[in-house]
Amino acid sequence: AAGSMGRGGSDSGMEDCVGVLQDQARLRQQFLQNLRAAQDRDATTGKHKALSKEYHHAAKKMHVERQCRQQERAWEANRLSQEARRQRKVGKRSDVAQHLQYGRIRVSTLPAAIASRPWKLAHRPREFQRG
């Protein structure tokens, strides 16, 4: 009876040992699954952060480019209006006022004016040089 009790007691001890080992294996497996899930979650969060950062960077870049194009259009419109204003102002002047400001160039007297300056011989066009 003592032998059967010892065997029964050792069987129970073995079963307890096997049960503890199974519990440890199950806990280890559960820990590894939780670890993988946490790593996957962290990787996904990192990807989301990177994508969000890239999106905000692209949105900011587009906003700045849009503002630059608007500013360039405003500058161009301003330049065109100033040019039109200047042309209207010049167009309203009389010939006398324009001749006073810019000087009067008579095409028919150009060869005579060049010929009257012998020190500029090298700069005269070939057809106006004395030969």
Side-chain angles (χ1 to χ4, degrees), residues 3 57 66 76 92 112:
H57 178 72
R66 187 179 323 114
E76 182 66 15
K92 288 180 183 178

Side-chain angles (χ1 to χ4, degrees), residues 44-127:
T44 302
T45 302
K47 288 177 186 175
H48 286 309
K49 285 182 181 179
L51 286 174
S52 177
K53 186 176 182 179
E54 185 178 337
Y55 169 78
H56 288 296
H57 178 72
K60 178 69 174 174
K61 185 177 176 182
M62 288 189 304
H63 178 70
V64 168
E65 287 177 358
R66 187 179 323 114
Q67 285 180 330
C68 288
R69 284 192 301 272
Q70 287 174 349
Q71 183 63 48
E72 288 172 355
R73 283 193 294 268
W75 286 340
E76 182 66 15
N78 188 25
R79 187 190 67 78
L80 290 174
S81 68
Q82 286 178 348
E83 179 67 21
R85 201 174 315 120
R86 188 190 63 77
Q87 286 179 354
R88 282 193 306 272
K89 184 179 175 183
V90 169
K92 288 180 183 178
R93 288 187 185 163
S94 66
D95 287 342
V96 174
Q98 289 184 21
H99 291 315
L100 285 175
Q101 182 174 357
Y102 300 111
R104 189 169 192 166
I105 301 173
R106 292 192 175 114
V107 176
S108 61
T109 61
L110 189 60
I114 292 174
S116 68
R117 297 185 214 161
W119 62 90
K120 299 259 184 173
L121 281 177
H123 301 313
R124 286 192 277 168
R126 193 178 282 283
E127 63 262 12

